[in-house]
Amino acid sequence: QVQLVESGGGLVQPGDSLRLSCAASARTFSRYRMAWFRQAPGKEREFVARISSTGANIDYADSVKGRFTISRDDAKNTVYLQMNSLKPEDTAVYFCAADRGTLGNGRSPTYYNNWGRGTQVTVST
């Protein structure tokens, strides 16, 4: 339905910032609910943040509240994740996900059936 490509990951020190981008191919991008998930080695994929199709409704995991900001630019078919005050615990592969209006738990990865391939974020001294 929609192709998603993440970018912007890298190796940074604790306290640094990164901005991740997710570029979407769909012409109907503005209709999609978007989300970011992450998966650390040996761990299950976990919810990070989500944003409604209008951008008016935003939700964050407790672990990133006050540090991360999700936003979208429909003119560029792109969703962003601004990550500030990064911690070693944030180290993971970050995935972009999209849904087009189904009912369910938007914090669960099973809610989304469109995924990017991920971008690596490593926070280390």
Side-chain angles (χ1 to χ4, degrees):
Q1 187 84 342
V2 56
Q3 293 179 328
L4 305 173
V5 180
E6 302 95 335
S7 62
L11 173 63
V12 297
Q13 296 183 355
D16 285 353
S17 297
L18 282 174
R19 188 179 75 162
L20 306 183
S21 298
C22 174
S25 63
R27 294 182 180 273
T28 56
F29 173 78
S30 63
R31 303 178 186 175
Y32 283 84
R33 300 170 174 88
M34 303 296 297
W36 288 95
F37 289 78
R38 66 187 182 186
Q39 189 165 21
K43 303 294 184 180
E44 295 184 349
R45 192 165 299 186
E46 67 173 351
F47 168 77
V48 175
R50 59 177 176 165
I51 187 168
S52 65
S53 59
T54 66
N57 294 94
I58 294 174
D59 186 31
Y60 298 99
D62 288 343
S63 59
V64 306
K65 284 182 179 178
R67 299 188 298 120
F68 290 11
T69 302
I70 188 171
S71 62
R72 65 190 299 156
D73 186 341
D74 290 349
K76 297 182 178 180
N77 282 8
T78 302
V79 62
Y80 303 96
L81 185 68
Q82 177 67 44
M83 305 186 295
N84 298 328
S85 302
L86 283 163
K87 305 175 180 179
E89 308 93 270
D90 297 317
T91 296
V93 176
Y94 283 71
F95 297 91
C96 179
D99 171 78
R100 193 179 169 181
T102 60
L103 296 177
N105 180 9
R107 290 187 167 197
S108 171
T110 63
Y111 181 80
Y112 304 89
N113 55 13
N114 296 283
W115 293 88
R117 300 199 66 178
T119 185
Q120 176 71 47
V121 173
T122 302
V123 186
S124 176
T125 57

